[in-house]
Amino acid sequence: MQIITDKKRLPKNALLVIAALGWAGVLYLCWVILNSSIERTEFAIGAIMGQIPELDPFNERYRIHPWQTIIHTTTGVIFAVLGPLQFMAPLRRRLPKLHRITGRIFLPAAIFNGLVAFTISLTFPMWGSTVNLFIGVIASAFMVFAFVQAFRRVLQRKFAQHREWMMRGFAIGLGVALFRALLNDVLPPLGIEDFQTRWNIVTAVCFPIMLILAELWIRATRPARPAAPASAAQVLSLIHISEPTR
């Protein structure tokens, strides 16, 4: 199986298998975001109404910053529900108007979600290594950058580039869901019980994993570049070679 170059793609059957596995992963991670966003929205509303007592340090930060939490989680719901629709080719082909409408809702919400995530990285408590703060800031800033680039490309009607930047931004957003899955469901059964150690591990790996996977898929599905036109020198050289010898 050949990895992608500008002129070659993976075999069609391989792409179909990878796409099926990828969609299963995307839908699971969107469910994680949706479930977490709804729970934290309810939690933040309760905190505003004074119904939430002091909790453990991880959840206490949501009680202390309820408005940031609500803004982040409500846009997170939009991200999780409308995000997958942006990448469904049948929807784009058969219902282009619906694709545009959902995109006009999704893209501003995703950009705003990234901006709020940036402020959260700076204001919420961060565990483990101090490098984690840097990673959180860079990831949220890149998410905003990617979606802004996607917006610019669609205005320029460069739809292929728009799709690629949408994938990069969406992958970073899904990195948060991967973060939660690894932190709570994967590492503890592996015997890594210390919270700060788990936090260090998932912060270091979740965003690079998602971005690498997105970039591999982008390159696997990117159309081949058209061959460059032959230069005048190349044409003359071919004519000279084709001339019969005397």
Side-chain angles (χ1 to χ4, degrees):
M1 184 181 296
Q2 295 182 336
I3 299 296
I4 312 312
T5 67
D6 287 334
K7 296 183 179 180
K8 296 180 180 179
R9 292 158 51 103
L10 291 172
K12 182 179 179 180
N13 289 339
L15 286 174
L16 291 174
V17 172
I18 294 171
L21 294 174
W23 270 110
V26 165
L27 294 177
Y28 168 73
L29 294 176
C30 284
W31 177 85
V32 171
I33 291 176
L34 181 62
N35 184 58
S36 175
S37 295
I38 292 173
E39 287 182 353
R40 281 175 170 75
T41 299
E42 295 173 348
F43 182 91
I45 292 173
I48 291 172
M49 299 176 66
Q51 298 175 353
I52 305 296
E54 291 188 13
L55 299 168
D56 61 274
F58 182 81
N59 288 306
E60 178 69 4
R61 57 190 187 152
Y62 299 112
R63 190 183 72 85
I64 296 174
H65 304 280
W67 289 109
Q68 270 181 287
T69 299
I70 287 177
I71 295 172
H72 188 55
T73 55
T74 51
T75 54
V77 169
I78 296 173
F79 184 95
V81 173
L82 298 185
L85 301 181
Q86 307 311 304
F87 305 100
M88 293 181 178
L91 179 68
R92 292 198 304 270
R93 289 193 300 266
R94 299 172 187 174
L95 299 170
K97 186 174 181 180
L98 178 62
H99 174 72
R100 289 193 295 269
I101 292 173
T102 57
R104 288 167 184 168
I105 299 171
F106 170 81
L107 200 48
I111 293 173
F112 198 56
N113 184 273
L115 291 172
V116 177
F118 184 86
T119 66
I120 286 175
S121 298
L122 297 175
T123 57
F124 277 38
M126 191 73 64
W127 283 271
S129 169
T130 54
V131 177
N132 294 342
L133 173 61
F134 176 77
I135 294 174
V137 168
I138 293 299
S140 54
F142 181 81
M143 177 177 166
V144 173
F145 173 78
F147 282 129
V148 169
Q149 291 299 312
F151 180 68
R152 290 182 57 200
R153 295 303 186 272
V154 78
L155 290 180
Q156 297 166 353
R157 303 189 68 78
K158 296 179 179 179
F159 298 116
Q161 295 179 20
H162 164 74
R163 169 183 173 270
E164 293 181 2
W165 281 110
M166 286 285 286
M167 285 187 176
R168 294 181 183 113
F170 192 59
I172 291 294
L174 291 182
V176 176
L178 181 62
F179 180 101
R180 297 189 185 282
L182 293 177
L183 183 72
N184 299 319
D185 303 326
V186 176
L187 295 184
L190 294 177
I192 306 175
E193 298 290 345
D194 181 68
F195 185 78
Q196 292 199 17
T197 301
R198 285 187 283 139
W199 192 281
N200 286 337
I201 293 172
V202 297
T203 303
V205 303
C206 63
F207 298 115
I209 286 174
M210 295 306 301
L211 197 55
I212 289 171
L213 291 175
E215 202 63 39
L216 287 174
W217 182 249
I218 287 169
R219 294 177 184 276
T221 56
R222 179 181 287 164
R225 293 179 181 177
S231 65
Q234 291 173 321
V235 173
L236 290 175
S237 175
L238 291 173
I239 293 174
H240 177 72
I241 292 173
S242 63
E243 285 181 351
T245 56
R246 297 179 181 177

